[in-house]
Amino acid sequence: MLRVLAVDDEEPALEELLYLLRADSRIRSAEGATGATEALRRIGGAVDAGPDDPAAIDVVFLDIHMAGLTGLDVAQLLAGFAAPPLIVFVTAHEGFAVQAFDLKAVDYVLKPVRRERLAEAVRRVAEQVGDRTAPVLDTPGDQIPVELGGVIRFVPVDDIAYAEAQGDYARLHTATGSHLVRVPLTTLEERWRARGFVRIHRRHLVALGRIDELRLDAGSMSVRIGAAELAVSRRHTRALRDLLMRQTGR
């Protein structure tokens, strides 16, 4: 259940957004702020109070064009917080999407806001909030949800040969294809360390048991996993070689 702050300096637009948010069963509470200053004051108080306080805020639905500070300004300021709420931009202007996602926005919703489109934004927020709080399971049946054409599938972690960093996302490679997930590679590294995954490069996390060959060439190292050849960075070379030698009992 999400706790929401909606921010828009046009009261009719704010009231309409709050009406739609409160109609969503995944929203626990939705409050409004009519400007950046009020929003920052309330967010600052919520962050100081902690996630279990009744005034806590999980996500801010934020207009971009406002008098005084813009929504982009607010997002930049929130980036300096230790544990800021998530951000969804809600705007009548298409031209700020790149800046919005550079600021780690979860979504970018265009006005006039459609109920179905807002519901999709709420789904994305709920997924990220769940990723922040869900316990890590280490059972052999672990699966990770991936989205394919609007359908959620569950891919067994045991089927994943390696993962590749793509910004704040990761691309998971299996024998049958690849899947993009909204999870940073560092998070997967922590979750899957006990499952035999090791970091070999800032871009790659590999399953030790899926490595077919270890290659040395003029002091550089790479591994082959199926048809893919992945470079091993110098800082990870010794640790990987030691791990592989221990795994083969040498």
Side-chain angles (χ1 to χ4, degrees), residues 46-76:
V47 170
D48 289 343
D52 297 324
D53 191 85
I57 298 169
D58 297 307
V59 58
V60 181
F61 283 76
L62 185 59
D63 188 23
I64 288 182
H65 276 290
M66 296 186 291
L69 292 175
T70 69
L72 295 173
D73 294 330
V74 172
Q76 287 176 330

PDB file of all heavy atoms in Angstrom, residues 46-76:
ATOM      1  N   ALA A  46       8.951  14.075   6.305  1.00  0.00           N
ATOM      2  CA  ALA A  46       8.672  12.642   6.202  1.00  0.00           C
ATOM      3  C   ALA A  46       9.959  11.827   6.244  1.00  0.00           C
ATOM      4  O   ALA A  46      10.021  10.776   6.894  1.00  0.00           O
ATOM      5  CB  ALA A  46       7.912  12.365   4.907  1.00  0.00           C
ATOM      6  N   VAL A  47      10.990  12.299   5.548  1.00  0.00           N
ATOM      7  CA  VAL A  47      12.271  11.580   5.541  1.00  0.00           C
ATOM      8  C   VAL A  47      12.880  11.567   6.935  1.00  0.00           C
ATOM      9  O   VAL A  47      13.391  10.545   7.405  1.00  0.00           O
ATOM     10  CB  VAL A  47      13.239  12.206   4.514  1.00  0.00           C
ATOM     11  CG1 VAL A  47      14.643  11.630   4.672  1.00  0.00           C
ATOM     12  CG2 VAL A  47      12.734  11.969   3.091  1.00  0.00           C
ATOM     13  N   ASP A  48      12.818  12.710   7.621  1.00  0.00           N
ATOM     14  CA  ASP A  48      13.365  12.784   8.983  1.00  0.00           C
ATOM     15  C   ASP A  48      12.620  11.859   9.942  1.00  0.00           C
ATOM     16  O   ASP A  48      13.215  11.278  10.857  1.00  0.00           O
ATOM     17  CB  ASP A  48      13.288  14.223   9.500  1.00  0.00           C
ATOM     18  CG  ASP A  48      14.287  15.145   8.802  1.00  0.00           C
ATOM     19  OD1 ASP A  48      15.237  14.628   8.180  1.00  0.00           O
ATOM     20  OD2 ASP A  48      14.086  16.368   8.866  1.00  0.00           O
ATOM     21  N   ALA A  49      11.308  11.724   9.726  1.00  0.00           N
ATOM     22  CA  ALA A  49      10.493  10.909  10.632  1.00  0.00           C
ATOM     23  C   ALA A  49      10.727   9.417  10.440  1.00  0.00           C
ATOM     24  O   ALA A  49      10.516   8.629  11.363  1.00  0.00           O
ATOM     25  CB  ALA A  49       9.010  11.234  10.430  1.00  0.00           C
ATOM     26  N   GLY A  50      11.152   9.009   9.241  1.00  0.00           N
ATOM     27  CA  GLY A  50      11.434   7.601   8.985  1.00  0.00           C
ATOM     28  C   GLY A  50      10.295   6.896   8.281  1.00  0.00           C
ATOM     29  O   GLY A  50       9.154   7.387   8.247  1.00  0.00           O
ATOM     30  N   PRO A  51      10.570   5.726   7.698  1.00  0.00           N
ATOM     31  CA  PRO A  51       9.584   5.029   6.862  1.00  0.00           C
ATOM     32  C   PRO A  51       8.372   4.493   7.606  1.00  0.00           C
ATOM     33  O   PRO A  51       7.351   4.189   6.977  1.00  0.00           O
ATOM     34  CB  PRO A  51      10.399   3.881   6.246  1.00  0.00           C
ATOM     35  CG  PRO A  51      11.537   3.667   7.195  1.00  0.00           C
ATOM     36  CD  PRO A  51      11.859   5.018   7.745  1.00  0.00           C
ATOM     37  N   ASP A  52       8.465   4.348   8.915  1.00  0.00           N
ATOM     38  CA  ASP A  52       7.333   3.795   9.672  1.00  0.00           C
ATOM     39  C   ASP A  52       6.409   4.867  10.248  1.00  0.00           C
ATOM     40  O   ASP A  52       5.402   4.542  10.874  1.00  0.00           O
ATOM     41  CB  ASP A  52       7.852   2.907  10.813  1.00  0.00           C
ATOM     42  CG  ASP A  52       8.627   1.708  10.286  1.00  0.00           C
ATOM     43  OD1 ASP A  52       8.238   1.179   9.227  1.00  0.00           O
ATOM     44  OD2 ASP A  52       9.622   1.318  10.922  1.00  0.00           O
ATOM     45  N   ASP A  53       6.761   6.133  10.036  1.00  0.00           N
ATOM     46  CA  ASP A  53       5.937   7.223  10.555  1.00  0.00           C
ATOM     47  C   ASP A  53       4.666   7.367   9.708  1.00  0.00           C
ATOM     48  O   ASP A  53       4.691   7.130   8.496  1.00  0.00           O
ATOM     49  CB  ASP A  53       6.732   8.534  10.510  1.00  0.00           C
ATOM     50  CG  ASP A  53       6.037   9.649  11.268  1.00  0.00           C
ATOM     51  OD1 ASP A  53       6.232   9.728  12.492  1.00  0.00           O
ATOM     52  OD2 ASP A  53       5.296  10.429  10.628  1.00  0.00           O
ATOM     53  N   PRO A  54       3.532   7.760  10.324  1.00  0.00           N
ATOM     54  CA  PRO A  54       2.295   7.950   9.552  1.00  0.00           C
ATOM     55  C   PRO A  54       2.428   8.971   8.420  1.00  0.00           C
ATOM     56  O   PRO A  54       1.679   8.911   7.438  1.00  0.00           O
ATOM     57  CB  PRO A  54       1.291   8.426  10.611  1.00  0.00           C
ATOM     58  CG  PRO A  54       1.826   7.895  11.896  1.00  0.00           C
ATOM     59  CD  PRO A  54       3.316   7.925  11.770  1.00  0.00           C
ATOM     60  N   ALA A  55       3.375   9.904   8.545  1.00  0.00           N
ATOM     61  CA  ALA A  55       3.548  10.931   7.516  1.00  0.00           C
ATOM     62  C   ALA A  55       4.523  10.520   6.415  1.00  0.00           C
ATOM     63  O   ALA A  55       4.841  11.309   5.534  1.00  0.00           O
ATOM     64  CB  ALA A  55       4.042  12.223   8.160  1.00  0.00           C
ATOM     65  N   ALA A  56       5.004   9.267   6.441  1.00  0.00           N
ATOM     66  CA  ALA A  56       5.992   8.815   5.455  1.00  0.00           C
ATOM     67  C   ALA A  56       5.432   8.896   4.035  1.00  0.00           C
ATOM     68  O   ALA A  56       4.227   8.776   3.815  1.00  0.00           O
ATOM     69  CB  ALA A  56       6.430   7.396   5.771  1.00  0.00           C
ATOM     70  N   ILE A  57       6.317   9.113   3.076  1.00  0.00           N
ATOM     71  CA  ILE A  57       5.932   9.241   1.663  1.00  0.00           C
ATOM     72  C   ILE A  57       6.757   8.259   0.848  1.00  0.00           C
ATOM     73  O   ILE A  57       7.987   8.279   0.897  1.00  0.00           O
ATOM     74  CB  ILE A  57       6.179  10.683   1.157  1.00  0.00           C
ATOM     75  CG1 ILE A  57       5.322  11.679   1.934  1.00  0.00           C
ATOM     76  CG2 ILE A  57       5.892  10.787  -0.345  1.00  0.00           C
ATOM     77  CD1 ILE A  57       5.709  13.134   1.683  1.00  0.00           C
ATOM     78  N   ASP A  58       6.083   7.392   0.095  1.00  0.00           N
ATOM     79  CA  ASP A  58       6.778   6.433  -0.767  1.00  0.00           C
ATOM     80  C   ASP A  58       7.097   7.024  -2.132  1.00  0.00           C
ATOM     81  O   ASP A  58       8.128   6.689  -2.728  1.00  0.00           O
ATOM     82  CB  ASP A  58       5.921   5.179  -0.967  1.00  0.00           C
ATOM     83  CG  ASP A  58       5.673   4.429   0.323  1.00  0.00           C
ATOM     84  OD1 ASP A  58       6.655   4.118   1.024  1.00  0.00           O
ATOM     85  OD2 ASP A  58       4.494   4.146   0.639  1.00  0.00           O
ATOM     86  N   VAL A  59       6.207   7.863  -2.651  1.00  0.00           N
ATOM     87  CA  VAL A  59       6.360   8.364  -4.016  1.00  0.00           C
ATOM     88  C   VAL A  59       5.736   9.746  -4.145  1.00  0.00           C
ATOM     89  O   VAL A  59       4.723  10.046  -3.507  1.00  0.00           O
ATOM     90  CB  VAL A  59       5.731   7.385  -5.041  1.00  0.00           C
ATOM     91  CG1 VAL A  59       4.255   7.146  -4.751  1.00  0.00           C
ATOM     92  CG2 VAL A  59       5.923   7.876  -6.468  1.00  0.00           C
ATOM     93  N   VAL A  60       6.371  10.577  -4.964  1.00  0.00           N
ATOM     94  CA  VAL A  60       5.863  11.912  -5.266  1.00  0.00           C
ATOM     95  C   VAL A  60       5.448  11.954  -6.738  1.00  0.00           C
ATOM     96  O   VAL A  60       6.266  11.671  -7.620  1.00  0.00           O
ATOM     97  CB  VAL A  60       6.928  12.993  -4.998  1.00  0.00           C
ATOM     98  CG1 VAL A  60       6.359  14.380  -5.289  1.00  0.00           C
ATOM     99  CG2 VAL A  60       7.416  12.911  -3.559  1.00  0.00           C
ATOM    100  N   PHE A  61       4.185  12.274  -6.998  1.00  0.00           N
ATOM    101  CA  PHE A  61       3.704  12.520  -8.363  1.00  0.00           C
ATOM    102  C   PHE A  61       3.844  14.021  -8.595  1.00  0.00           C
ATOM    103  O   PHE A  61       3.135  14.824  -7.986  1.00  0.00           O
ATOM    104  CB  PHE A  61       2.263  12.050  -8.515  1.00  0.00           C
ATOM    105  CG  PHE A  61       2.140  10.552  -8.648  1.00  0.00           C
ATOM    106  CD1 PHE A  61       2.270   9.727  -7.540  1.00  0.00           C
ATOM    107  CD2 PHE A  61       1.926   9.970  -9.888  1.00  0.00           C
ATOM    108  CE1 PHE A  61       2.176   8.351  -7.659  1.00  0.00           C
ATOM    109  CE2 PHE A  61       1.821   8.585 -10.021  1.00  0.00           C
ATOM    110  CZ  PHE A  61       1.952   7.779  -8.907  1.00  0.00           C
ATOM    111  N   LEU A  62       4.761  14.393  -9.478  1.00  0.00           N
ATOM    112  CA  LEU A  62       5.302  15.746  -9.501  1.00  0.00           C
ATOM    113  C   LEU A  62       5.113  16.423 -10.856  1.00  0.00           C
ATOM    114  O   LEU A  62       5.566  15.918 -11.889  1.00  0.00           O
ATOM    115  CB  LEU A  62       6.800  15.651  -9.164  1.00  0.00           C
ATOM    116  CG  LEU A  62       7.627  16.904  -8.993  1.00  0.00           C
ATOM    117  CD1 LEU A  62       7.074  17.785  -7.883  1.00  0.00           C
ATOM    118  CD2 LEU A  62       9.073  16.503  -8.677  1.00  0.00           C
ATOM    119  N   ASP A  63       4.429  17.572 -10.844  1.00  0.00           N
ATOM    120  CA  ASP A  63       4.315  18.386 -12.054  1.00  0.00           C
ATOM    121  C   ASP A  63       5.672  19.016 -12.355  1.00  0.00           C
ATOM    122  O   ASP A  63       6.486  19.232 -11.444  1.00  0.00           O
ATOM    123  CB  ASP A  63       3.257  19.467 -11.849  1.00  0.00           C
ATOM    124  CG  ASP A  63       2.944  20.219 -13.134  1.00  0.00           C
ATOM    125  OD1 ASP A  63       3.178  19.673 -14.236  1.00  0.00           O
ATOM    126  OD2 ASP A  63       2.474  21.369 -13.042  1.00  0.00           O
ATOM    127  N   ILE A  64       5.943  19.318 -13.610  1.00  0.00           N
ATOM    128  CA  ILE A  64       7.224  19.933 -13.968  1.00  0.00           C
ATOM    129  C   ILE A  64       7.131  21.453 -13.969  1.00  0.00           C
ATOM    130  O   ILE A  64       7.916  22.144 -13.312  1.00  0.00           O
ATOM    131  CB  ILE A  64       7.727  19.398 -15.322  1.00  0.00           C
ATOM    132  CG1 ILE A  64       8.204  17.951 -15.163  1.00  0.00           C
ATOM    133  CG2 ILE A  64       8.869  20.274 -15.861  1.00  0.00           C
ATOM    134  CD1 ILE A  64       8.764  17.317 -16.415  1.00  0.00           C
ATOM    135  N   HIS A  65       6.160  22.008 -14.691  1.00  0.00           N
ATOM    136  CA  HIS A  65       6.050  23.465 -14.784  1.00  0.00           C
ATOM    137  C   HIS A  65       5.246  24.010 -13.617  1.00  0.00           C
ATOM    138  O   HIS A  65       4.031  23.841 -13.542  1.00  0.00           O
ATOM    139  CB  HIS A  65       5.391  23.869 -16.114  1.00  0.00           C
ATOM    140  CG  HIS A  65       6.373  23.926 -17.239  1.00  0.00           C
ATOM    141  ND1 HIS A  65       7.339  24.886 -17.346  1.00  0.00           N
ATOM    142  CD2 HIS A  65       6.536  23.113 -18.308  1.00  0.00           C
ATOM    143  CE1 HIS A  65       8.059  24.676 -18.438  1.00  0.00           C
ATOM    144  NE2 HIS A  65       7.599  23.600 -19.030  1.00  0.00           N
ATOM    145  N   MET A  66       5.950  24.654 -12.662  1.00  0.00           N
ATOM    146  CA  MET A  66       5.293  25.276 -11.523  1.00  0.00           C
ATOM    147  C   MET A  66       5.954  26.621 -11.267  1.00  0.00           C
ATOM    148  O   MET A  66       7.105  26.853 -11.658  1.00  0.00           O
ATOM    149  CB  MET A  66       5.417  24.395 -10.272  1.00  0.00           C
ATOM    150  CG  MET A  66       4.727  23.055 -10.380  1.00  0.00           C
ATOM    151  SD  MET A  66       4.760  22.127  -8.811  1.00  0.00           S
ATOM    152  CE  MET A  66       6.506  21.716  -8.691  1.00  0.00           C
ATOM    153  N   ALA A  67       5.222  27.506 -10.612  1.00  0.00           N
ATOM    154  CA  ALA A  67       5.792  28.807 -10.261  1.00  0.00           C
ATOM    155  C   ALA A  67       6.946  28.603  -9.282  1.00  0.00           C
ATOM    156  O   ALA A  67       6.884  27.747  -8.396  1.00  0.00           O
ATOM    157  CB  ALA A  67       4.712  29.691  -9.635  1.00  0.00           C
ATOM    158  N   GLY A  68       8.018  29.373  -9.434  1.00  0.00           N
ATOM    159  CA  GLY A  68       9.178  29.205  -8.564  1.00  0.00           C
ATOM    160  C   GLY A  68       9.988  28.000  -9.006  1.00  0.00           C
ATOM    161  O   GLY A  68      10.315  27.851 -10.189  1.00  0.00           O
ATOM    162  N   LEU A  69      10.297  27.120  -8.066  1.00  0.00           N
ATOM    163  CA  LEU A  69      11.043  25.910  -8.410  1.00  0.00           C
ATOM    164  C   LEU A  69      10.212  24.996  -9.303  1.00  0.00           C
ATOM    165  O   LEU A  69       9.024  24.796  -9.065  1.00  0.00           O
ATOM    166  CB  LEU A  69      11.429  25.146  -7.139  1.00  0.00           C
ATOM    167  CG  LEU A  69      12.446  25.797  -6.202  1.00  0.00           C
ATOM    168  CD1 LEU A  69      12.598  24.949  -4.944  1.00  0.00           C
ATOM    169  CD2 LEU A  69      13.789  25.971  -6.891  1.00  0.00           C
ATOM    170  N   THR A  70      10.846  24.414 -10.315  1.00  0.00           N
ATOM    171  CA  THR A  70      10.151  23.462 -11.178  1.00  0.00           C
ATOM    172  C   THR A  70      10.205  22.071 -10.557  1.00  0.00           C
ATOM    173  O   THR A  70      10.953  21.821  -9.594  1.00  0.00           O
ATOM    174  CB  THR A  70      10.794  23.407 -12.570  1.00  0.00           C
ATOM    175  OG1 THR A  70      12.104  22.796 -12.449  1.00  0.00           O
ATOM    176  CG2 THR A  70      10.929  24.800 -13.175  1.00  0.00           C
ATOM    177  N   GLY A  71       9.449  21.161 -11.144  1.00  0.00           N
ATOM    178  CA  GLY A  71       9.514  19.784 -10.681  1.00  0.00           C
ATOM    179  C   GLY A  71      10.894  19.180 -10.849  1.00  0.00           C
ATOM    180  O   GLY A  71      11.335  18.374 -10.026  1.00  0.00           O
ATOM    181  N   LEU A  72      11.602  19.563 -11.927  1.00  0.00           N
ATOM    182  CA  LEU A  72      12.967  19.076 -12.128  1.00  0.00           C
ATOM    183  C   LEU A  72      13.891  19.576 -11.025  1.00  0.00           C
ATOM    184  O   LEU A  72      14.766  18.851 -10.546  1.00  0.00           O
ATOM    185  CB  LEU A  72      13.486  19.509 -13.500  1.00  0.00           C
ATOM    186  CG  LEU A  72      12.750  18.922 -14.710  1.00  0.00           C
ATOM    187  CD1 LEU A  72      13.246  19.569 -15.999  1.00  0.00           C
ATOM    188  CD2 LEU A  72      12.931  17.403 -14.785  1.00  0.00           C
ATOM    189  N   ASP A  73      13.685  20.838 -10.610  1.00  0.00           N
ATOM    190  CA  ASP A  73      14.475  21.384  -9.498  1.00  0.00           C
ATOM    191  C   ASP A  73      14.231  20.587  -8.215  1.00  0.00           C
ATOM    192  O   ASP A  73      15.167  20.274  -7.473  1.00  0.00           O
ATOM    193  CB  ASP A  73      14.114  22.850  -9.249  1.00  0.00           C
ATOM    194  CG  ASP A  73      14.501  23.768 -10.391  1.00  0.00           C
ATOM    195  OD1 ASP A  73      15.490  23.461 -11.085  1.00  0.00           O
ATOM    196  OD2 ASP A  73      13.797  24.780 -10.596  1.00  0.00           O
ATOM    197  N   VAL A  74      12.970  20.278  -7.971  1.00  0.00           N
ATOM    198  CA  VAL A  74      12.622  19.507  -6.775  1.00  0.00           C
ATOM    199  C   VAL A  74      13.298  18.142  -6.815  1.00  0.00           C
ATOM    200  O   VAL A  74      13.879  17.681  -5.820  1.00  0.00           O
ATOM    201  CB  VAL A  74      11.095  19.349  -6.649  1.00  0.00           C
ATOM    202  CG1 VAL A  74      10.740  18.382  -5.519  1.00  0.00           C
ATOM    203  CG2 VAL A  74      10.436  20.704  -6.408  1.00  0.00           C
ATOM    204  N   ALA A  75      13.251  17.490  -7.973  1.00  0.00           N
ATOM    205  CA  ALA A  75      13.858  16.165  -8.100  1.00  0.00           C
ATOM    206  C   ALA A  75      15.365  16.223  -7.858  1.00  0.00           C
ATOM    207  O   ALA A  75      15.938  15.326  -7.224  1.00  0.00           O
ATOM    208  CB  ALA A  75      13.565  15.593  -9.480  1.00  0.00           C
ATOM    209  N   GLN A  76      16.016  17.269  -8.354  1.00  0.00           N
ATOM    210  CA  GLN A  76      17.454  17.415  -8.130  1.00  0.00           C
ATOM    211  C   GLN A  76      17.766  17.585  -6.649  1.00  0.00           C
ATOM    212  O   GLN A  76      18.746  17.034  -6.137  1.00  0.00           O
ATOM    213  CB  GLN A  76      17.986  18.605  -8.926  1.00  0.00           C
ATOM    214  CG  GLN A  76      18.051  18.338 -10.426  1.00  0.00           C
ATOM    215  CD  GLN A  76      18.482  19.555 -11.220  1.00  0.00           C
ATOM    216  OE1 GLN A  76      18.221  20.687 -10.823  1.00  0.00           O
ATOM    217  NE2 GLN A  76      19.150  19.327 -12.339  1.00  0.00           N
TER     218      GLN A  76
END
